[in-house]
């Protein structure tokens, strides 16, 4: 984490695909709680690592056969998206690359989503990898995605690049990769000033 004026920046970097483990989710949730509890923090930016925003839920857990662990991870993910969506402070995503499955859902939970103009995959690929979207994922997808893209995005697991992701509703804006964090911080400050 770092501060940029009143904007708290939460860097997500597990050194790999930024898979959402319970630990990563707890870290992001902690940043939300910090931003909401500190009056000097006016907005939050979630920033991925180079080329990867988040590849979604940790597949070692999702494919483990441990129903309790899978259920707990999905519940934690749903609570994270709800916390992002309902946060008392504006939340802006600095999408640095791939955002798949729960990573795309995390994007959809943010108020504004800035994407890097890089070769990457963004979308809800659950159906394509043999998984089912939980109810809370349908809710956020219906709220955020374009009606024209909803069926293809959810039922047929259509994956997009950054430009198409703007049209679909995953992203609001695409900027050069070296400007993604600065743009996200600027948009967060603009939202905080409203």
């Amino acid at each position: 984490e770092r501060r940029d004026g009143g904007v708290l920046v939460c860097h997500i970097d597990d050194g790999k695909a930024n898979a959402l483990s319970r630990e990563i989710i707890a870290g992001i949730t902690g940043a939300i709680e910090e931003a909401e509890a500190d009056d000097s923090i006016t907005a939050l930016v979630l920033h991925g690592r180079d080329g990867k925003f988040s590849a979604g839920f940790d597949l070692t857990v999702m494919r483990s056969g441990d129903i309790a662990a899978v259920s707990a991870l999905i519940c934690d993910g749903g609570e994270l998206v709800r916390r992002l969506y309902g946060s008392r402070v504006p939340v802006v995503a600095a999408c640095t690359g791939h955002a798949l499955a729960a990573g795309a859902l995390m994007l959809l939970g943010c108020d504004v989503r800035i994407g890097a103009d890089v070769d990457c995959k963004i979308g809800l690929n659950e159906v394509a990898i043999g998984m089912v979207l939980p109810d809370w994922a349908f809710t956020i997808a219906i709220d955020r995605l374009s009606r024209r893209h909803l069926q293809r995005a959810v039922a047929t697991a259509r994956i997009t690049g950054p430009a198409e992701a703007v049209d679909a509703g995953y992203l609001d804006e695409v900027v050069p990769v070296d400007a993604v964090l600065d743009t996200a911080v600027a948009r967060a400050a603009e939202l905080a000033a409203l």
Side-chain angles (χ1 to χ4, degrees):
E1 291 181 11
R2 72 173 176 83
R3 290 284 291 271
D4 192 319
V7 178
L8 179 66
V9 178
C10 175
H11 294 283
I12 308 164
D13 188 353
D14 70 356
K16 298 175 280 189
N18 277 353
L20 294 177
S21 63
R22 295 192 79 189
E23 294 74 25
I24 294 281
I25 291 170
I28 298 167
T29 300
I32 298 167
E33 290 170 351
E34 180 182 350
E36 290 180 334
D38 185 339
D39 288 341
S40 72
I41 298 174
T42 56
L44 174 67
V45 168
L46 298 185
H47 177 246
R49 65 188 299 269
D50 283 350
K52 307 236 179 5
F53 183 68
S54 173
F57 287 133
D58 183 347
L59 289 180
T60 60
V61 174
M62 297 302 289
R63 293 183 171 151
S64 68
D66 182 341
I67 300 303
V70 171
S71 178
L73 186 58
I74 291 171
C75 287
D76 285 355
E79 178 62 12
L80 172 62
V81 172
R82 187 195 68 76
R83 292 292 304 270
L84 291 169
Y85 186 82
S87 177
R88 190 177 61 76
V89 298
V91 182
V92 176
C95 182
T96 49
H98 301 300
L100 293 167
L105 293 166
M106 191 166 60
L107 272 183
L108 296 178
C110 296
D111 297 303
V112 172
R113 287 97 51 194
I114 308 301
D117 187 11
V118 295
D119 183 18
C120 66
K121 297 176 181 178
I122 299 174
L124 301 171
N125 64 329
E126 281 85 352
V127 170
I129 61 173
M131 295 186 174
V132 176
L133 279 169
D135 290 345
W136 59 263
F138 281 110
T139 302
I140 194 76
I142 290 166
D143 187 62
R144 294 289 200 198
L145 295 178
S146 160
R147 303 279 306 164
R148 293 183 301 107
H149 291 269
L150 188 59
Q151 174 70 18
R152 288 185 297 169
V154 174
T156 66
R158 184 166 185 271
I159 302 301
T160 71
E164 291 174 285
V166 171
D167 193 42
Y170 292 107
L171 297 175
D172 294 300
E173 185 178 351
V174 175
V175 299
V177 65
D178 58 353
V180 71
L181 181 56
D182 288 344
T183 302
V185 168
R187 296 297 175 269
E190 289 166 6
L191 287 174
L194 290 176

